[in-house]
Amino acid sequence: MPRKLFIKTYGCQMNVYDSGRMADLLAPLGYEETMTPEGADLVILNTCHIREKAAEKVYSELGRLRALKDQRKAAGGDMLIAVAGCVAQAEGEEMGRRAPVVDLIVGPQTYHRLPELVAQAHRVSGAVLDTDFPAESKFDHLPESQKTEGPTAFLSVQEGCDKFCTFCVVPYTRGAEYSRSVSDVLAEARRLVAGGVHEITLLGQNVNAYHGEADDGTWSLARLVRALADVPGLQRIRYTTSHPRDMSDDLIAAHGEIEQLMPYLHLPVQSGSDDVLKAMNRRHTRDVYLRLIERIRVARPDIAMSGDFIVGFPGETDSDFAQTIDLVQQTGYASAYSFKYSARPGTPASTAGAQVPEAVKSERLTALQQLLDAQQVAFNHASVGKTVPVLFERTGRKAGQLVGRSPWLQAVHVEADVAMMGKLADVTLVEAKANSLAGVLQAAEPAGKVA
Ligand code: SAH
Ligand code: SF4
Ligand code: F3S
């Protein structure tokens, strides 16, 4: 009897990758993925702890699931509810107490044990808990078979973080920095390409701190990217998220030299004020960041910059915030993410004295987002008229429409035959909208890769 599995994913791309691997792990046990929790035998919430709102969403979802589970029980069945990811890791047993409906709590570094944990959860009453940081790596225990969906895929190459920014839970939820071996990563990339993938995004909480073991020593991310560029059929390589401190010379050079490495860089800065950066323990100044971007643009003049910002960090003054606005104006972002500071339990900044009032945070966020939105619109408008290679990833909302990505990660809507799905083709960009562009298909085969 096939069993039904529903996974809901919150948070970052690493969670998206992990959710895929959890489904791969459970498939041999007869679990087939479904799109809704109704009728599911096993529900996994793969959670995010980064901001309070993200963590709270999990509890409201658990409330809804409780009703579904009760219904199923009344009908003589059952529904196992598992919480995975960073909230599971951070809250552990406390989550079992707060939400007794949860049958299984598993952290990001132990989900390779899911098959046995699920069996155990069926046997015992009360929540089964596994939030270890085991000595063995989960990557050595995940199945090789990997379901690919469409022409793009994520590939986790690095996990955890040793930076300890004072606002951030990641070093606690994901543990110490760890890099997968080069052979492991290359083998997984080749399997993905064999499964029809043309674009791989390498993932890590600090992906550019990658230092993977190989037969001839330790490889940097730049060296890994160079090796991946030699995998036949892999047309595009991206990586995320990077820390300014780990933006090494060889990685900057790679942006100018490797055709497959896409001209888009997500490089969070968080703040434009040196005082705030220091209090955040970011270990770089605004000047270091701005000079880094200058050098990256020398190597790859058309690079699209992206970033993350936090407003209302404890102690942030109006003039600190003005420095952030100034940095954004100097940099010019193609896209960016900005957040109100959220105090997270156990992090040093959460107990700092000078917490910024909510109203001030909201005001600053609005001002920053207006500027970032305007920059995004300007970036998209500047692309109109260009003919660029687009990789078609999915069908659009309108019939006869496909959606793909430009090299700069812009979503492009094109009228094209569904046979073009998964293919790379030249598209002339004709209209810019706030979050996407409209394009017209040119040659069915691209004239060349990105110049
Ligand atoms: N490893 C990445 C990002 C990790 S979290 C990096 O170092 O850049 C993703 C983003 O969430 C961060 O870049 C930051 O902007 C935001 N974030 C992290 N903790 C936060 C907090 N306590 N409140 C608000 N935003 C936060
Ligand atoms: Fe969090 Fe800082 Fe590590 Fe990024 S570098 S994951 S923001 S502690
Ligand atoms: Fe969230 Fe954990 Fe990713 S806290 S952002 S899911 S590393």
Side-chain angles (χ1 to χ4, degrees):
M1 257 284 276
R3 290 181 275 188
K4 287 190 179 155
L5 166 66
F6 173 71
I7 307 183
K8 183 160 181 174
T9 308
Y10 303 81
C12 62
Q13 289 110 323
M14 304 210 65
N15 264 10
V16 175
Y17 176 85
D18 288 342
S19 291
R21 303 322 311 274
M22 287 189 233
D24 292 338
L25 268 166
L26 294 165
L29 304 182
Y31 283 101
E32 284 171 6
E33 263 193 278
T34 63
M35 304 304 287
T36 56
E38 285 82 15
D41 300 286
L42 172 59
V43 172
I44 301 177
L45 303 182
N46 195 10
T47 62
C48 174
H49 198 58
I50 204 81
R51 284 168 291 276
E52 192 179 352
K53 260 193 201 147
E56 283 309 314
K57 271 186 204 159
V58 178
Y59 286 99
S60 33
E61 187 64 34
L62 285 172
R64 283 190 288 275
L65 288 175
R66 195 178 56 186
L68 280 183
K69 184 176 172 127
D70 288 346
Q71 278 171 24
R72 267 200 79 135
K73 275 196 166 158
D78 199 9
M79 173 194 269
L80 210 63
I81 298 179
V83 179
C86 291
V87 180
Q89 188 65 46
E91 297 191 1
E93 270 173 32
E94 199 185 310
M95 165 161 267
R97 279 194 290 274
R98 191 172 157 192
V101 71
V102 176
D103 300 296
L104 171 51
I105 299 162
V106 61
Q109 303 312 340
T110 46
Y111 70 73
H112 57 288
R113 298 175 182 161
L114 261 177
E116 39 183 304
L117 293 170
V118 166
Q120 209 182 329
H122 276 297
R123 285 196 306 270
V124 303
S125 64
V128 172
L129 176 77
D130 191 346
T131 51
D132 287 354
F133 285 113
E136 92 259 14
S137 161
K138 71 181 173 209
F139 293 110
D140 297 334
H141 298 267
L142 294 175
E144 284 198 349
S145 63
Q146 197 169 337
K147 211 168 94 196
T148 56
E149 277 163 51
T152 63
F154 291 137
L155 200 176
S156 286
V157 301
Q158 182 277 335
E159 270 215 63
C161 181
D162 295 340
K163 296 277 192 300
F164 290 93
C165 299
T166 55
F167 51 82
C168 182
V169 295
V170 171
Y172 312 97
T173 62
R174 294 270 168 170
E177 213 178 279
Y178 168 83
S179 295
R180 293 176 73 184
S181 74
V182 168
S183 59
D184 215 16
V185 172
L186 292 179
E188 187 164 330
R190 288 194 194 98
R191 285 196 299 271
L192 288 170
V193 172
V197 167
H198 298 311
E199 173 182 307
I200 291 180
T201 302
L202 305 174
L203 298 181
Q205 264 89 27
N206 276 305
V207 72
N208 58 347
Y210 178 82
H211 52 280
E213 291 307 314
D215 292 341
D216 60 352
T218 306
W219 285 28
S220 65
L221 184 70
R223 196 155 169 210
L224 184 70
V225 167
R226 285 178 199 276
L228 284 165
D230 290 334
V231 172
L234 182 56
Q235 290 164 307
R236 290 178 160 191
I237 303 166
R238 303 181 186 275
Y239 63 91
T240 198
T241 295
S242 297
H243 192 284
R245 284 271 296 213
D246 297 312
M247 209 60 219
S248 60
D249 294 346
D250 65 342
L251 189 56
I252 294 174
H255 273 284
E257 292 162 11
I258 300 176
E259 201 180 27
Q260 291 93 328
L261 186 56
M262 290 293 102
Y264 177 94
L265 179 62
H266 184 69
L267 193 63
V269 63
Q270 316 298 354
S271 168
S273 150
D274 281 340
D275 289 342
V276 173
L277 288 170
K278 192 150 190 270
M280 286 176 164
N281 190 32
R282 288 291 290 180
R283 296 188 273 181
H284 62 78
T285 59
R286 68 179 266 130
D287 199 45
V288 162
Y289 182 84
L290 288 169
R291 275 188 291 129
L292 203 49
I293 289 178
E294 268 172 32
R295 286 173 50 220
I296 295 161
R297 283 186 168 145
V298 169
R300 182 78 207 217
D302 68 338
I303 199 140
M305 288 306 305
S306 170
D308 290 346
F309 297 88
I310 295 177
V311 300
F313 183 81
E316 186 188 68
T317 62
D318 283 340
S319 86
D320 289 322
F321 177 64
Q323 294 272 301
T324 298
I325 293 287
D326 181 72
L327 178 139
V328 172
Q329 275 161 343
Q330 280 194 47
T331 303
Y333 288 91
S335 73
Y337 303 87
S338 46
F339 314 97
K340 286 192 237 180
Y341 169 72
S342 169
R344 307 306 292 129
T347 59
S350 66
T351 48
Q355 298 290 329
V356 173
E358 194 56 31
V360 176
K361 286 186 196 172
S362 299
E363 225 171 81
R364 289 180 187 164
L365 187 67
T366 305
L368 177 60
Q369 289 186 338
Q370 265 172 8
L371 176 59
L372 290 168
D373 287 350
Q375 289 191 341
Q376 181 171 336
V377 168
F379 182 82
N380 286 344
H381 272 282
S383 308
V384 172
K386 288 184 186 163
T387 299
V388 305
V390 169
L391 178 61
F392 292 109
E393 291 175 15
R394 57 186 171 89
T395 51
R397 232 177 272 157
K398 289 189 206 141
Q401 198 184 49
L402 295 183
V403 187
R405 297 266 176 193
S406 78
W408 304 277
L409 210 61
Q410 296 151 298
V412 183
H413 297 253
V414 179
E415 269 178 39
D417 195 276
V418 70
M420 291 302 296
M421 268 286 280
K423 296 206 170 106
L424 202 59
D426 280 343
V427 168
T428 300
L429 304 173
V430 294
E431 191 194 343
K433 298 171 186 156
N435 294 309
S436 67
L437 289 140
V440 175
L441 188 64
Q442 299 298 318
E445 289 297 319
K449 297 205 183 94
V450 203

